[in-house]
Amino acid sequence: VEADGTLRRVPLQRRHCEELIPSFDLALYRLARAAGLPVAELPPPGEFLINYRGGPKTFPWIPYHRVVQGEVPPETFQGKIVLVGPTSAILQDVYSTPFARARTMPGVEIHANALETLLGGLAVREAPRWLSTAVALAAAIAGAWLVVRLRALRALAASAGLWAALAAATFLAFSVWGVWFRFTAVTLALLLGYGAAVV
């Protein structure tokens, strides 16, 4: 879980004493590959960003008691990878994710998202921090320059347009190429550059 309380990434392995132990998701990936399922190449060693498909219940939930009581036909699970786990918030295995705020995503569905990310080769790539810093610095300078060049009100409209263009580029990079760019720093830099010049 990251500093803002959101779970975005999981490790492929953990070191215990001198031994590297595969994560649950990596172990399932290896089982799927051994069973002949089509799998993508693994991301580089270390942690990987989960490419979430959505919020809770994006993957089908089937209550365990219905399976035990024979209410669910066996062919429902044919050719599927089935994860069994708790979904009740009472059991404390719930987390906040980019698609589920206030700790509403069960850990078992986070594993489902992580496994799909690994099997499909869909891991999100993080833009280098130096690039985010450089764009934020450029946005701050642009915000101040617009005030000097156009005066406050016109500069505000131009800054809003610049922000919208950067937001669209960020969204495009994520949705098309799977690149996650830290946009909050750019937004704050643009606001501070504009605000400081106006003051």
Side-chain angles (χ1 to χ4, degrees):
V1 176
E2 297 184 8
D4 64 353
T6 303
L7 201 157
R8 294 185 178 89
R9 59 187 87 223
V10 293
L12 282 174
Q13 297 175 316
R14 289 276 187 180
R15 183 170 294 281
H16 177 69
C17 297
E18 297 301 315
E19 184 182 3
L20 271 177
I21 300 174
S23 68
F24 178 66
D25 306 304
L26 178 57
L28 286 176
Y29 169 91
R30 289 174 175 170
L31 286 171
R33 184 177 58 189
L37 294 177
V39 297
E41 290 295 318
L42 284 172
E47 295 182 328
F48 68 94
L49 284 163
I50 302 171
N51 194 345
Y52 284 97
R53 291 281 150 236
K57 296 197 175 180
T58 299
F59 292 90
W61 291 13
I62 299 177
Y64 187 76
H65 69 87
R66 291 188 58 218
V67 179
V68 173
Q69 292 170 0
E71 298 174 15
V72 181
E75 54 268 20
T76 303
F77 305 112
Q78 189 170 354
K80 307 278 195 314
I81 296 174
V82 180
L83 303 183
V84 181
T87 56
S88 172
I90 296 170
L91 297 174
Q92 300 296 308
D93 189 25
V94 286
Y95 301 88
S96 300
T97 72
F99 290 94
R101 298 296 179 195
R103 298 186 61 190
T104 54
M105 177 76 90
V108 66
E109 192 159 9
I110 291 173
H111 282 299
N113 280 278
L115 183 59
E116 177 158 313
T117 299
L118 289 179
L119 293 176
L122 305 169
V124 178
R125 292 170 293 137
E126 189 173 353
R129 284 183 183 270
W130 65 263
L131 181 60
S132 300
T133 304
V135 174
L137 182 61
I141 292 170
W145 179 81
L146 286 170
V147 173
V148 173
R149 184 81 175 159
L150 302 175
R151 302 296 175 90
L153 285 177
R154 288 183 180 174
L156 179 61
S159 294
L162 176 60
W163 179 87
L166 289 170
T170 300
F171 179 78
L172 189 69
F174 182 78
S175 59
V176 176
W177 296 293
V179 175
W180 177 43
F181 186 79
R182 296 175 181 271
F183 189 64
T184 306
V186 176
T187 301
L188 290 175
L190 183 61
L191 286 172
L192 288 172
Y194 171 85
V198 168
V199 170

